[in-house]
């Protein structure tokens, strides 16, 4: 699929899609449409998934790991 086709199918102008590629800036709704077309919505869903902790210790360990990254 070409850039023009992807932009068109996601309801974006080609210039908006190119700007997204160059800057990384895009409206969230547009990003979701692009992800849907690319069959990657699960990647966006994973960003917002909640991790279930069984103890406060798990929460603290998770925070420590993120600080070291």
């Amino acid at each position: 699929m070409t850039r023009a086709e992807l932009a068109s199918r996601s309801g974006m102008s080609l210039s908006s899609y190119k700007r997204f590629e160059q800057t990384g800036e895009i409206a969230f709704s547009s990003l979701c449409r692009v992800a849907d077309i690319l069959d990657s919505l699960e990647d966006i869903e994973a960003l917002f998934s909640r991790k279930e902790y069984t103890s406060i210790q798990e929460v603290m360990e998770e925070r420590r790991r993120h600080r070291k990254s």
Side-chain angles (χ1 to χ4, degrees):
M1 172 179 338
T2 66
R3 286 175 167 173
E5 290 170 328
L6 181 57
S8 176
R9 290 179 60 187
S10 64
M12 300 171 65
S13 67
L14 180 56
S15 62
S16 292
Y17 183 78
K18 285 180 180 179
R19 185 172 43 253
F20 162 57
E21 286 185 333
Q22 293 170 349
T23 67
E25 295 178 12
I26 189 171
F28 185 69
S29 58
S30 297
L31 179 63
C32 289
R33 287 192 302 268
V34 169
D36 187 32
I37 291 164
L38 297 175
D39 197 28
S40 297
L41 273 178
E42 65 278 353
D43 295 327
I44 292 178
E45 290 172 356
L47 293 173
F48 299 99
S49 64
R50 290 187 165 199
K51 183 173 181 178
E52 293 192 26
Y53 298 101
T54 57
S55 71
I56 191 68
Q57 187 64 33
E58 287 182 13
V59 175
M60 293 167 59
E61 288 173 7
E62 182 81 16
R63 287 187 178 201
R64 272 190 229 121
R65 280 195 297 271
H66 283 284
R67 284 189 211 134
K68 290 179 182 179
S69 302

